[in-house]
Amino acid sequence: MAIVALQRPHGLPVVVSAALAHYQFETLHPFSDCNGRVGRLVILLQLLRCGALDQPALTISPWLLRRREQYQDLLLNVSRSGDWDAWIRFFARGIQEQCRSHVSVAQQLITWIATVRQRLHERHWTGTIALLAEALIDWPIVSNALVREKFSVTEVTAQNAIDRLVKLEVLEELTGGHYARVYGAREIMRLLENL
């Protein structure tokens, strides 16, 4: 992948530099709370700063947390034995797998929105409903108030757009109530949960 091929000024690949920096942060950071979260955020910031990413669109946290024991053991092993190779291979595999996962989810979201656009087009539904459908990619949970505010429309227009997307099974009512209802695009939420 292109991210692995990028070089830092000192000649190390970006992913190797990020692996080294993450280890150093995790072992030297003086606070016992939130150390891991901040350390994983530093990975993203480092990738952004060196130009490997131009948007904060990659997170390795879910991958590392699913392998928490191995992650912690490898970090500890570097301190105990100086075995950087195993840690760097593990870290690089995490970056690679997360990149692949993100690309797969992006492709599925592109397919999803194309299908929704087609269904709207077949019904000649435009305006707020089309704008709302597009906005679900960025924010898959909505309410009448949010739609009114975001698109500067009336309560009736907002609810009509929501109701039509519910009818198409693009949105689903999540709260089960009659007031202050919240709707979600379950398919988008499902895809994003897999990252």
Side-chain angles (χ1 to χ4, degrees):
M1 300 190 99
I3 192 169
V4 177
L6 292 172
Q7 299 286 315
R8 295 290 307 218
H10 46 66
L12 291 175
V14 169
V15 172
V16 173
S17 292
L20 299 173
H22 184 69
Y23 163 79
Q24 290 172 333
F25 181 86
E26 292 298 320
T27 57
L28 299 175
H29 192 268
F31 304 108
S32 61
D33 190 25
C34 299
N35 188 25
R37 276 179 276 178
V38 173
R40 291 183 298 273
L41 176 61
V42 169
I43 295 168
L44 176 63
L45 295 174
Q46 185 174 10
L47 294 173
L48 285 164
R49 184 168 185 244
C50 73
L53 297 173
D54 60 3
Q55 297 290 322
L58 174 70
T59 176
I60 191 171
S61 286
W63 191 90
L64 291 173
L65 293 176
R66 286 191 299 269
R67 296 155 183 83
R68 180 187 296 264
E69 190 173 317
Q70 184 181 11
Y71 166 52
Q72 292 172 340
D73 287 348
L74 285 166
L75 287 173
L76 182 59
N77 194 44
V78 172
S79 296
R80 288 183 175 161
S81 70
D83 181 10
W84 286 96
D85 291 345
W87 162 244
I88 291 170
R89 274 193 304 275
F90 174 80
F91 185 87
R93 191 178 96 221
I95 294 287
Q96 181 183 46
E97 289 182 16
Q98 281 301 98
C99 285
R100 286 182 177 151
S101 177
H102 282 62
V103 167
S104 173
V105 167
Q107 290 168 336
Q108 292 174 69
L109 288 171
I110 289 167
T111 300
W112 180 88
I113 194 62
T115 302
V116 170
R117 286 176 185 146
Q118 180 61 36
R119 293 170 71 197
L120 293 174
H121 178 73
E122 289 168 359
R123 289 163 181 76
H124 305 288
W125 289 350
T126 61
T128 303
I129 187 172
L131 295 171
L132 176 56
E134 297 285 336
L136 291 173
I137 294 286
D138 292 328
W139 198 258
I141 298 175
V142 298
S143 65
N144 186 293
L146 185 122
V147 173
R148 285 193 325 257
E149 181 181 326
K150 183 168 183 67
F151 302 109
S152 301
V153 295
T154 66
E155 183 175 350
V156 171
T157 300
Q159 196 59 49
N160 283 339
I162 290 169
D163 290 344
R164 286 181 175 184
L165 290 175
V166 168
K167 183 177 179 177
L168 288 179
E169 297 180 350
V170 169
L171 284 176
E172 178 181 329
E173 204 278 325
L174 302 175
T175 56
H178 294 289
Y179 301 100
R181 291 180 289 177
V182 175
Y183 302 83
R186 288 253 191 222
E187 182 63 16
I188 294 175
M189 293 186 290
R190 183 191 63 77
L191 288 170
L192 296 178
E193 285 173 1
N194 291 330
L195 290 178

